[in-house]
PDB file of all heavy atoms in Angstrom:
ATOM      1  N   GLU A  85      17.906   0.705  20.485  1.00  0.00           N
ATOM      2  CA  GLU A  85      17.580  -0.559  21.188  1.00  0.00           C
ATOM      3  C   GLU A  85      17.503  -0.357  22.705  1.00  0.00           C
ATOM      4  O   GLU A  85      16.690  -0.993  23.374  1.00  0.00           O
ATOM      5  CB  GLU A  85      18.621  -1.632  20.859  1.00  0.00           C
ATOM      6  CG  GLU A  85      18.433  -2.212  19.470  1.00  0.00           C
ATOM      7  CD  GLU A  85      19.707  -2.841  18.906  1.00  0.00           C
ATOM      8  OE1 GLU A  85      20.629  -3.147  19.695  1.00  0.00           O
ATOM      9  OE2 GLU A  85      19.784  -2.994  17.671  1.00  0.00           O
ATOM     10  N   ALA A  86      18.349   0.536  23.245  1.00  0.00           N
ATOM     11  CA  ALA A  86      18.308   0.792  24.692  1.00  0.00           C
ATOM     12  C   ALA A  86      16.983   1.453  25.075  1.00  0.00           C
ATOM     13  O   ALA A  86      16.413   1.164  26.125  1.00  0.00           O
ATOM     14  CB  ALA A  86      19.496   1.647  25.125  1.00  0.00           C
ATOM     15  N   ILE A  87      16.461   2.322  24.203  1.00  0.00           N
ATOM     16  CA  ILE A  87      15.161   2.955  24.483  1.00  0.00           C
ATOM     17  C   ILE A  87      14.045   1.907  24.393  1.00  0.00           C
ATOM     18  O   ILE A  87      13.141   1.869  25.224  1.00  0.00           O
ATOM     19  CB  ILE A  87      14.884   4.129  23.517  1.00  0.00           C
ATOM     20  CG1 ILE A  87      15.942   5.213  23.705  1.00  0.00           C
ATOM     21  CG2 ILE A  87      13.492   4.716  23.758  1.00  0.00           C
ATOM     22  CD1 ILE A  87      15.915   6.297  22.661  1.00  0.00           C
ATOM     23  N   ALA A  88      14.151   1.028  23.410  1.00  0.00           N
ATOM     24  CA  ALA A  88      13.155  -0.046  23.278  1.00  0.00           C
ATOM     25  C   ALA A  88      13.191  -0.950  24.508  1.00  0.00           C
ATOM     26  O   ALA A  88      12.147  -1.379  25.010  1.00  0.00           O
ATOM     27  CB  ALA A  88      13.410  -0.846  22.004  1.00  0.00           C
ATOM     28  N   ALA A  89      14.407  -1.207  25.033  1.00  0.00           N
ATOM     29  CA  ALA A  89      14.543  -2.064  26.228  1.00  0.00           C
ATOM     30  C   ALA A  89      13.891  -1.390  27.429  1.00  0.00           C
ATOM     31  O   ALA A  89      13.283  -2.057  28.276  1.00  0.00           O
ATOM     32  CB  ALA A  89      16.017  -2.346  26.506  1.00  0.00           C
ATOM     33  N   GLU A  90      14.011  -0.080  27.498  1.00  0.00           N
ATOM     34  CA  GLU A  90      13.394   0.655  28.609  1.00  0.00           C
ATOM     35  C   GLU A  90      11.871   0.509  28.563  1.00  0.00           C
ATOM     36  O   GLU A  90      11.230   0.244  29.569  1.00  0.00           O
ATOM     37  CB  GLU A  90      13.779   2.135  28.518  1.00  0.00           C
ATOM     38  CG  GLU A  90      13.288   2.935  29.697  1.00  0.00           C
ATOM     39  CD  GLU A  90      12.727   4.288  29.318  1.00  0.00           C
ATOM     40  OE1 GLU A  90      13.282   4.949  28.439  1.00  0.00           O
ATOM     41  OE2 GLU A  90      11.696   4.663  29.907  1.00  0.00           O
ATOM     42  N   LEU A  91      11.307   0.657  27.374  1.00  0.00           N
ATOM     43  CA  LEU A  91       9.856   0.506  27.208  1.00  0.00           C
ATOM     44  C   LEU A  91       9.401  -0.889  27.573  1.00  0.00           C
ATOM     45  O   LEU A  91       8.387  -1.084  28.244  1.00  0.00           O
ATOM     46  CB  LEU A  91       9.461   0.787  25.751  1.00  0.00           C
ATOM     47  CG  LEU A  91       9.216   2.238  25.389  1.00  0.00           C
ATOM     48  CD1 LEU A  91       8.886   2.353  23.903  1.00  0.00           C
ATOM     49  CD2 LEU A  91       8.057   2.796  26.228  1.00  0.00           C
ATOM     50  N   GLU A  92      10.181  -1.863  27.150  1.00  0.00           N
ATOM     51  CA  GLU A  92       9.871  -3.263  27.422  1.00  0.00           C
ATOM     52  C   GLU A  92       9.861  -3.526  28.939  1.00  0.00           C
ATOM     53  O   GLU A  92       8.968  -4.186  29.464  1.00  0.00           O
ATOM     54  CB  GLU A  92      10.909  -4.125  26.687  1.00  0.00           C
ATOM     55  CG  GLU A  92      10.974  -5.585  27.071  1.00  0.00           C
ATOM     56  CD  GLU A  92       9.866  -6.414  26.442  1.00  0.00           C
ATOM     57  OE1 GLU A  92       9.187  -5.890  25.549  1.00  0.00           O
ATOM     58  OE2 GLU A  92       9.696  -7.572  26.867  1.00  0.00           O
ATOM     59  N   LEU A  93      10.859  -2.953  29.627  1.00  0.00           N
ATOM     60  CA  LEU A  93      10.917  -3.103  31.087  1.00  0.00           C
ATOM     61  C   LEU A  93       9.668  -2.524  31.731  1.00  0.00           C
ATOM     62  O   LEU A  93       9.083  -3.111  32.639  1.00  0.00           O
ATOM     63  CB  LEU A  93      12.126  -2.369  31.658  1.00  0.00           C
ATOM     64  CG  LEU A  93      13.475  -3.073  31.642  1.00  0.00           C
ATOM     65  CD1 LEU A  93      14.540  -2.164  32.243  1.00  0.00           C
ATOM     66  CD2 LEU A  93      13.426  -4.371  32.426  1.00  0.00           C
ATOM     67  N   HIS A  94       9.261  -1.353  31.213  1.00  0.00           N
ATOM     68  CA  HIS A  94       8.094  -0.704  31.784  1.00  0.00           C
ATOM     69  C   HIS A  94       6.819  -1.501  31.538  1.00  0.00           C
ATOM     70  O   HIS A  94       5.982  -1.628  32.422  1.00  0.00           O
ATOM     71  CB  HIS A  94       7.939   0.715  31.217  1.00  0.00           C
ATOM     72  CG  HIS A  94       8.735   1.716  31.986  1.00  0.00           C
ATOM     73  ND1 HIS A  94       9.581   2.620  31.392  1.00  0.00           N
ATOM     74  CD2 HIS A  94       8.833   1.927  33.301  1.00  0.00           C
ATOM     75  CE1 HIS A  94      10.161   3.353  32.331  1.00  0.00           C
ATOM     76  NE2 HIS A  94       9.720   2.957  33.494  1.00  0.00           N
ATOM     77  N   THR A  95       6.681  -2.012  30.320  1.00  0.00           N
ATOM     78  CA  THR A  95       5.405  -2.633  29.983  1.00  0.00           C
ATOM     79  C   THR A  95       5.277  -4.060  30.514  1.00  0.00           C
ATOM     80  O   THR A  95       4.186  -4.492  30.835  1.00  0.00           O
ATOM     81  CB  THR A  95       5.157  -2.633  28.460  1.00  0.00           C
ATOM     82  OG1 THR A  95       6.294  -3.205  27.832  1.00  0.00           O
ATOM     83  CG2 THR A  95       4.937  -1.238  27.922  1.00  0.00           C
ATOM     84  N   THR A  96       6.357  -4.800  30.626  1.00  0.00           N
ATOM     85  CA  THR A  96       6.204  -6.199  31.053  1.00  0.00           C
ATOM     86  C   THR A  96       6.737  -6.466  32.454  1.00  0.00           C
ATOM     87  O   THR A  96       5.962  -6.702  33.393  1.00  0.00           O
ATOM     88  CB  THR A  96       6.873  -7.167  30.053  1.00  0.00           C
ATOM     89  OG1 THR A  96       8.259  -6.837  29.971  1.00  0.00           O
ATOM     90  CG2 THR A  96       6.256  -7.071  28.686  1.00  0.00           C
ATOM     91  N   LEU A  97       8.049  -6.367  32.614  1.00  0.00           N
ATOM     92  CA  LEU A  97       8.660  -6.813  33.862  1.00  0.00           C
ATOM     93  C   LEU A  97       8.170  -6.022  35.074  1.00  0.00           C
ATOM     94  O   LEU A  97       7.885  -6.601  36.130  1.00  0.00           O
ATOM     95  CB  LEU A  97      10.186  -6.725  33.732  1.00  0.00           C
ATOM     96  CG  LEU A  97      11.031  -7.574  34.668  1.00  0.00           C
ATOM     97  CD1 LEU A  97      10.527  -9.000  34.768  1.00  0.00           C
ATOM     98  CD2 LEU A  97      12.474  -7.562  34.230  1.00  0.00           C
ATOM     99  N   LEU A  98       8.040  -4.697  34.941  1.00  0.00           N
ATOM    100  CA  LEU A  98       7.598  -3.904  36.097  1.00  0.00           C
ATOM    101  C   LEU A  98       6.195  -4.330  36.538  1.00  0.00           C
ATOM    102  O   LEU A  98       5.918  -4.438  37.727  1.00  0.00           O
ATOM    103  CB  LEU A  98       7.641  -2.407  35.790  1.00  0.00           C
ATOM    104  CG  LEU A  98       9.045  -1.784  35.725  1.00  0.00           C
ATOM    105  CD1 LEU A  98       8.968  -0.298  35.402  1.00  0.00           C
ATOM    106  CD2 LEU A  98       9.791  -1.976  37.039  1.00  0.00           C
ATOM    107  N   GLY A  99       5.308  -4.589  35.564  1.00  0.00           N
ATOM    108  CA  GLY A  99       3.964  -5.045  35.886  1.00  0.00           C
ATOM    109  C   GLY A  99       3.991  -6.373  36.626  1.00  0.00           C
ATOM    110  O   GLY A  99       3.326  -6.549  37.660  1.00  0.00           O
ATOM    111  N   GLU A 100       4.796  -7.307  36.125  1.00  0.00           N
ATOM    112  CA  GLU A 100       4.911  -8.633  36.761  1.00  0.00           C
ATOM    113  C   GLU A 100       5.442  -8.522  38.186  1.00  0.00           C
ATOM    114  O   GLU A 100       5.163  -9.365  39.034  1.00  0.00           O
ATOM    115  CB  GLU A 100       5.893  -9.514  35.979  1.00  0.00           C
ATOM    116  CG  GLU A 100       5.322 -10.112  34.713  1.00  0.00           C
ATOM    117  CD  GLU A 100       6.398 -10.883  33.951  1.00  0.00           C
ATOM    118  OE1 GLU A 100       7.318 -11.437  34.582  1.00  0.00           O
ATOM    119  OE2 GLU A 100       6.317 -10.898  32.710  1.00  0.00           O
ATOM    120  N   LEU A 101       6.240  -7.489  38.433  1.00  0.00           N
ATOM    121  CA  LEU A 101       6.838  -7.319  39.757  1.00  0.00           C
ATOM    122  C   LEU A 101       5.942  -6.508  40.690  1.00  0.00           C
ATOM    123  O   LEU A 101       6.333  -6.180  41.801  1.00  0.00           O
ATOM    124  CB  LEU A 101       8.208  -6.634  39.622  1.00  0.00           C
ATOM    125  CG  LEU A 101       9.300  -7.489  38.978  1.00  0.00           C
ATOM    126  CD1 LEU A 101      10.460  -6.638  38.502  1.00  0.00           C
ATOM    127  CD2 LEU A 101       9.807  -8.543  39.970  1.00  0.00           C
ATOM    128  N   GLY A 102       4.758  -6.178  40.210  1.00  0.00           N
ATOM    129  CA  GLY A 102       3.809  -5.475  41.072  1.00  0.00           C
ATOM    130  C   GLY A 102       4.069  -3.978  41.190  1.00  0.00           C
ATOM    131  O   GLY A 102       3.638  -3.338  42.143  1.00  0.00           O
ATOM    132  N   ILE A 103       4.813  -3.409  40.215  1.00  0.00           N
ATOM    133  CA  ILE A 103       5.063  -1.966  40.251  1.00  0.00           C
ATOM    134  C   ILE A 103       4.105  -1.299  39.251  1.00  0.00           C
ATOM    135  O   ILE A 103       4.096  -1.641  38.065  1.00  0.00           O
ATOM    136  CB  ILE A 103       6.524  -1.645  39.878  1.00  0.00           C
ATOM    137  CG1 ILE A 103       7.462  -2.291  40.903  1.00  0.00           C
ATOM    138  CG2 ILE A 103       6.753  -0.135  39.813  1.00  0.00           C
ATOM    139  CD1 ILE A 103       8.912  -2.312  40.482  1.00  0.00           C
ATOM    140  N   SER A 104       3.298  -0.356  39.742  1.00  0.00           N
ATOM    141  CA  SER A 104       2.308   0.279  38.867  1.00  0.00           C
ATOM    142  C   SER A 104       2.977   1.324  37.981  1.00  0.00           C
ATOM    143  O   SER A 104       4.090   1.777  38.255  1.00  0.00           O
ATOM    144  CB  SER A 104       1.239   0.956  39.715  1.00  0.00           C
ATOM    145  OG  SER A 104       1.824   2.054  40.392  1.00  0.00           O
ATOM    146  N   LYS A 105       2.252   1.733  36.933  1.00  0.00           N
ATOM    147  CA  LYS A 105       2.756   2.774  36.024  1.00  0.00           C
ATOM    148  C   LYS A 105       2.988   4.071  36.792  1.00  0.00           C
ATOM    149  O   LYS A 105       3.926   4.811  36.518  1.00  0.00           O
ATOM    150  CB  LYS A 105       1.734   3.032  34.913  1.00  0.00           C
ATOM    151  CG  LYS A 105       1.742   1.984  33.838  1.00  0.00           C
ATOM    152  CD  LYS A 105       1.285   2.609  32.501  1.00  0.00           C
ATOM    153  CE  LYS A 105       1.597   1.699  31.329  1.00  0.00           C
ATOM    154  NZ  LYS A 105       0.922   0.389  31.408  1.00  0.00           N
TER     155      LYS A 105
END
Side-chain angles (χ1 to χ4, degrees):
E85 284 157 19
I87 298 170
E90 185 222 321
L91 274 178
E92 167 78 11
L93 277 179
H94 274 130
T95 52
T96 59
L97 201 46
L98 287 180
E100 282 176 31
L101 290 163
I103 298 167
S104 68
K105 282 208 166 61

